């Protein structure tokens, strides 16, 4: 039994990893935003934000944008932009 293990090791079997290679990641600087909230006259009630981050993806990059939303009082929440990986 011990001899069989030695033969496997000598022939290159039994050792190492069979795990597939991890795909390479691509990285880039992206900006995620939240829109302003404005009243029906267009006055900014709450300012939106803009955050720059470094995003690394092994797959493709994806940008999701939400549309503006109008409240029952006529205020508008401007859309958001979010970057992610697919």
């Amino acid at each position: 039994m011990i001899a069989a293990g030695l033969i496997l090791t000598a022939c290159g079997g039994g050792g190492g990893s069979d795990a597939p290679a991890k795909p390479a990641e691509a990285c880039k600087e992206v900006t995620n935003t939240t829109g302003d909230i404005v009243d029906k006259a267009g006055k900014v009630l709450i300012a939106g934000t803009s955050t720059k981050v470094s995003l690394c993806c092994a797959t493709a990059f994806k940008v999701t944008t939400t549309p503006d939303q109008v409240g029952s009082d006529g205020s508008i929440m401007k859309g958001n932009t979010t970057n992610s990986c697919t």
Side-chain angles (χ1 to χ4, degrees):
M1 199 64 154
I2 294 174
L6 292 175
I7 292 169
L8 276 176
T9 304
C11 295
S17 172
D18 292 333
K22 185 177 179 183
E25 290 186 337
C27 298
K28 68 178 182 178
E29 293 274 324
V30 297
T31 303
N32 294 326
T33 62
T34 58
D36 294 338
I37 297 177
V38 298
D39 64 14
K40 57 185 169 186
K43 178 182 174 191
V44 176
L45 302 173
I46 301 173
T49 63
S50 179
T51 307
K52 186 177 273 192
V53 295
S54 180
L55 180 64
C56 297
C57 296
T59 55
F61 292 95
K62 175 182 171 185
V63 178
T64 304
T65 303
T66 57
D68 295 351
Q69 298 177 14
V70 180
S72 58
D73 63 351
S75 62
I76 300 171
M77 184 174 78
K78 299 290 186 174
N80 302 329
T81 301
T82 306
N83 293 269
S84 61
C85 302
T86 58

